[in-house]
Amino acid sequence: LAAACRRAVARGDGDLAAGALEGAWSALTERGPFETGAALAESVRAMPGLADRATARANSVLAHALVACGRPSPAHALYQQALASACTAGDRRQEAEVRSRIGSLLEYEGRMDESRENNLAALQIARELGDRALECTTSNGLGNVELAEGRYDEALAQYERALGLARTLGDRRM
């Protein structure tokens, strides 16, 4: 998938490059190297005339890769750019994914109210779209926020909701 992303960048096909980037990043998140994901995302972002939807996807992957590389500082601006591009493109699923990732980053930084707000917004969109996988991820993120704040019953309820969705989806990694 990394090679497919590079070929799409070389051909100037932004949509294909962004899709291959997401696929490559999905694989790289399992074993790394995370720097490869960051480099691929940078190459997609540098493409001239990149559509808003592809820009959102590339910025989101780059932000996620930088966090995975231990460099979360630039991720905030990239996530905000990804969110703006997703909204401009009308891509509600991407908007929800970005909000979920922002929520995770904010939770990591101890900014629980902002994390909860982003996760709840992502959860609402996931439910509107009927995207159970995204709902599962976001419920798990909300569980993390509740656990970090010592709200064990609320955390357990979110984790059980996420686990139930994961089981329904056949997701054994959740």
Side-chain angles (χ1 to χ4, degrees), residues 61-107:
V61 169
L62 179 57
H64 197 186
L66 291 175
V67 170
C69 290
R71 296 180 299 188
S73 296
H76 284 288
L78 289 164
Y79 278 139
Q80 290 305 317
Q81 291 170 16
L83 184 59
S85 294
C87 290
T88 299
D91 188 340
R92 299 282 287 157
R93 185 178 198 294
Q94 185 66 34
E95 178 187 348
E97 284 185 13
V98 171
R99 286 188 180 280
S100 179
R101 288 184 180 166
I102 290 171
S104 294
L105 179 57
L106 293 168
E107 185 262 327

Side-chain angles (χ1 to χ4, degrees), residues 5-164:
C5 180
R6 288 185 191 101
R7 283 192 303 271
V9 168
R11 284 197 317 256
D13 188 337
D15 289 334
L16 184 60
L21 169 63
E22 286 182 324
W25 179 242
S26 180
L28 290 167
T29 58
E30 296 298 319
R31 294 198 176 142
F34 302 135
E35 287 292 341
T36 299
L40 285 172
E42 284 285 6
S43 68
V44 174
R45 287 181 73 230
M47 294 177 70
L50 199 60
D52 288 324
R53 184 171 186 267
T55 298
R57 295 161 76 188
N59 282 333
S60 181
V61 169
L62 179 57
H64 197 186
L66 291 175
V67 170
C69 290
R71 296 180 299 188
S73 296
H76 284 288
L78 289 164
Y79 278 139
Q80 290 305 317
Q81 291 170 16
L83 184 59
S85 294
C87 290
T88 299
D91 188 340
R92 299 282 287 157
R93 185 178 198 294
Q94 185 66 34
E95 178 187 348
E97 284 185 13
V98 171
R99 286 188 180 280
S100 179
R101 288 184 180 166
I102 290 171
S104 294
L105 179 57
L106 293 168
E107 185 262 327
Y108 169 78
E109 294 174 338
R111 297 164 60 184
M112 299 306 165
D113 289 339
E114 294 168 88
S115 176
R116 181 180 292 105
E117 179 182 313
N118 277 280
N119 275 302
L120 286 171
L123 182 61
Q124 180 180 346
I125 294 168
R127 287 179 175 159
E128 288 170 7
L129 297 175
D131 189 329
R132 298 176 67 91
L134 187 53
E135 185 178 345
C136 176
T137 300
T138 306
S139 292
N140 192 58
L142 282 168
N144 292 341
V145 172
E146 300 299 349
L147 182 65
E149 291 197 318
R151 296 186 186 129
Y152 303 115
D153 290 338
E154 292 88 346
L156 182 59
Q158 290 295 338
Y159 289 144
E160 286 176 344
R161 183 173 296 116
L163 181 60

